[in-house]
DNA sequence: ATAAATTACTACCTCAGTATAGCATTTGCA
DNA sequence: TGCAAATGCTATACTGAGGTAGTAATTTAT
């Protein structure tokens, strides 16, 4: 019931970026600041770039910048680009098909919890994480 | 954000048992009814037995029976016996320490979601899953 | 007693997520 | 022009969850 490690890394990364005054971010700098394994963070950055959330600038003085406004980047779409989103929308007991018509034994009890979770993921954006009080990334 | 596969199997198993008129359940019978890999379900049954939720009866005519009243078995304590419960209580971004005093960038936004989830897990019992309308295990 | 039906134990296999290593490519600055 | 600083790519290793296989131990029906 928690984000995958990669999703966690990614949201830490993006929230660090939105809370910084810098415009361009280098992988080495970020992995040091965020204490995320260097090579792994580089992979995440490349993937985020391919997904269109950030843009890469190659060559000397290069790095990464936001490719779209942070208030348009929801947790939902970030996670969707990393994990199987069915982990969040699917049946809590793991059934392939689980609906009002054909519910699992936890279906109705879990319904309001899922609603709250999905609403959180779909409405929270990276821009919402801009907060002067956070010193932890 | 879903239960581990093993936790899902386990809750399906217990909800099947509470919804059945039988008193004693054999592993082979259960794996067939629940379509859970036979050998794996046997392991789950042994673990549940060691955890004290069910009792095993060895030998011919043996099987498993509830070892405690199903209304005393919460989803929470079942999951806690299977997974690292920190997956549910811990920081959503994966920080070791994350609290009101030292929050992560998602801490306050995620708080009400976690509350709802934990309340659900801690208050829902296997007995609550007794329901005539469910034909799916 | 013995055979059959059942659980218990130990060891191994597989796969996806996580992490590492090395080299290729691009680009700006001296 | 060439070196340095950055990203891009490919291949490999590690780890834990999930799953499989075979044998041992226990108990009851006959």
């Amino acid at each position: 019931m928690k984000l995958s490690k990669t999703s966690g890394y990614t949201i830490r990364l993006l929230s660090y970026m939105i809370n910084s005054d810098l415009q361009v971010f280098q992988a080495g700098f970020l992995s040091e600041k965020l204490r995320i394994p260097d090579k792994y963070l580089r992979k995440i950055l490349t993937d985020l770039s391919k997904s269109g959330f950030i843009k890469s600038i190659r060559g000397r003085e290069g790095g990464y910048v936001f490719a779209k406004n942070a208030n348009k980047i929801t947790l939902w779409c970030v996670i969707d680009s990393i994990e199987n989103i069915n982990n969040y929308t699917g049946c809590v007991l793991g059934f392939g098909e689980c609906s009002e018509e054909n519910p699992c034994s936890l279906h109705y009890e879990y319904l309001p919890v899922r609603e709250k979770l999905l609403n959180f993921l779909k409405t929270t954006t990276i821009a919402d994480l801009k907060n002067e009080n956070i010193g932890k990334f």
Side-chain angles (χ1 to χ4, degrees), chain A residues 9 27-28 31-32 36-47:
Chain A
Y9 284 164
S31 74
E32 192 166 320
I36 295 172
D38 185 71
K39 282 289 192 179
Y40 199 63
L41 181 57
R42 285 170 194 271
K43 180 178 181 310
I44 290 173
L45 286 163
T46 301
D47 291 345

Side-chain angles (χ1 to χ4, degrees), chain A residues 20-88:
Chain A
S20 167
D21 291 331
L22 299 174
Q23 295 300 311
V24 182
F25 300 84
Q26 282 85 41
F29 173 82
L30 288 170
S31 74
E32 192 166 320
K33 287 288 182 188
L34 300 165
R35 294 177 308 284
I36 295 172
D38 185 71
K39 282 289 192 179
Y40 199 63
L41 181 57
R42 285 170 194 271
K43 180 178 181 310
I44 290 173
L45 286 163
T46 301
D47 291 345
L48 277 179
S49 187
K50 285 177 178 165
S51 299
F53 298 114
I54 61 179
K55 277 188 300 212
S56 69
I57 303 170
R58 298 190 69 170
R60 188 165 176 164
E61 311 279 288
Y64 298 91
V65 298
F66 275 108
K68 50 195 291 189
N69 195 312
N71 66 21
K72 291 286 185 296
I73 304 177
T74 62
L75 300 181
W76 178 267
C77 64
V78 171
I79 293 167
D80 186 35
S81 77
I82 297 168
E83 304 176 50
N84 182 354
I85 203 67
N86 188 254
N87 291 344
Y88 301 83

Side-chain angles (χ1 to χ4, degrees), chain A residues 70-75 120-129:
Chain A
N71 66 21
K72 291 286 185 296
I73 304 177
T74 62
L75 300 181
F120 163 70
L121 295 176
K122 287 179 177 174
T123 62
T124 305
T125 71
I126 298 302
D128 293 329
L129 306 182

